[in-house]
Amino acid sequence: MRSWFSDQFSGNISKLIMNVGLPASIFVSVLKYLNRSMLAGLSSGLLYVFGAFVISYVFAFIMIAILRVPAGRRGVFVNMVVNANTIFIGLPLNIALFGNEALPYFLIYYIANTVSTWTVGVYLITADSKEGKKAGAKFDWKKLLPPPLVGFLIALMFLFLDIPVPTFAINTLTYIGNIVTPMSLLYIGIVLARAGFKSIRVDKDTIGALAGRYIVAPLVMLAILSIAGGNLPANEFKTFIVQSAAPALAVLPILADQGDGDREYATNLVTISTVLFVVVIPVVLTLLG
């Protein structure tokens, strides 16, 4: 079976999900499960998520100081603690657990995660170097409007303007959107198979980053929601907690390489966090009841 697919197959799956399947799925779900009266509630959820991200950034920098994380790893460490792999792992899991009805709540977390990753997150990585020299930190503003987010914005326009969508179009987009979960699971399997367990290395920086991702970030989110968002719908509350405990960003090694950071460390974190997620998520779900 190894010879069935080319080396570019996983990249093609990623493009298919991001550029075709996910925008279609989000467009249909927004029109099906959202209405104008619900949008005000979603905006409050966005504030809670952004608040949790800000506090998580603070904790990440404190952990860096305590652990004395060396240059080249600091930007990766912060991103590991704060930003999650919401698309390829968080999304299919969320749909499996809570159904498409919870997709609008997932979108709230996805928006916050996207903004955080491609502004603060990418800046910290590209400004961090193993030699201690600051590389040219660049914002890729195009990343702030990925196709899934564009699909969400277009759906909101249809919702606000009450534009009817023909049944055949909804059915077609639904069929296209249904590829997201199986394709995402296939992509995850390919990534894990390529990474392999022989490449895993465990040191204090790795343990600290994993603790930040799977303990600090979920606890911060839980505290914010418990204090400020006590009246959130159950699916929204659980979605935010589950997404805050998703593994590391799949693009961490690429970003680390571009910023002259520790790419091996970033790859190690992505591999370990993805493998550990199989154990972590049942624990999180048990605690959520």
Side-chain angles (χ1 to χ4, degrees), residues 62-161:
I62 293 174
M63 294 174 71
I64 284 175
I66 294 175
L67 296 173
R68 297 180 180 178
V69 178
R73 290 187 169 189
R74 294 167 188 165
V76 172
F77 188 101
V78 173
N79 273 271
M80 174 68 178
V81 174
V82 182
N83 302 313
N85 188 342
T86 55
I87 291 296
F88 296 109
I89 294 182
L91 176 61
L93 176 67
N94 215 74
I95 294 175
L97 293 175
F98 312 124
N100 287 328
E101 293 85 352
L103 190 54
Y105 308 130
F106 166 82
L107 290 172
I108 295 301
Y109 196 95
Y110 170 71
I111 291 171
N113 194 78
T114 298
V115 172
S116 172
T117 299
W118 296 106
T119 54
V120 180
V122 75
Y123 174 81
L124 292 174
I125 290 181
T126 55
D128 186 29
S129 169
K130 288 181 289 188
E131 284 76 26
K133 300 177 182 179
K134 289 191 175 183
K138 298 178 181 179
F139 289 113
D140 190 349
W141 296 107
K142 295 180 181 179
K143 296 291 186 180
L144 291 177
L145 278 177
L149 187 53
V150 172
F152 176 65
L153 295 176
I154 293 175
L156 287 183
M157 181 183 69
F158 274 74
L159 191 66
F160 273 116
L161 299 179

Side-chain angles (χ1 to χ4, degrees), residues 149-196:
L149 187 53
V150 172
F152 176 65
L153 295 176
I154 293 175
L156 287 183
M157 181 183 69
F158 274 74
L159 191 66
F160 273 116
L161 299 179
D162 199 20
I163 301 174
V165 182
T167 303
F168 77 88
I170 289 292
N171 291 338
T172 301
L173 292 173
T174 300
Y175 289 134
I176 295 174
N178 286 341
I179 69 172
V180 171
T181 299
M183 288 292 101
S184 296
L185 295 175
L186 186 59
Y187 177 83
I188 295 166
I190 293 173
V191 170
L192 288 177
R194 285 183 176 176

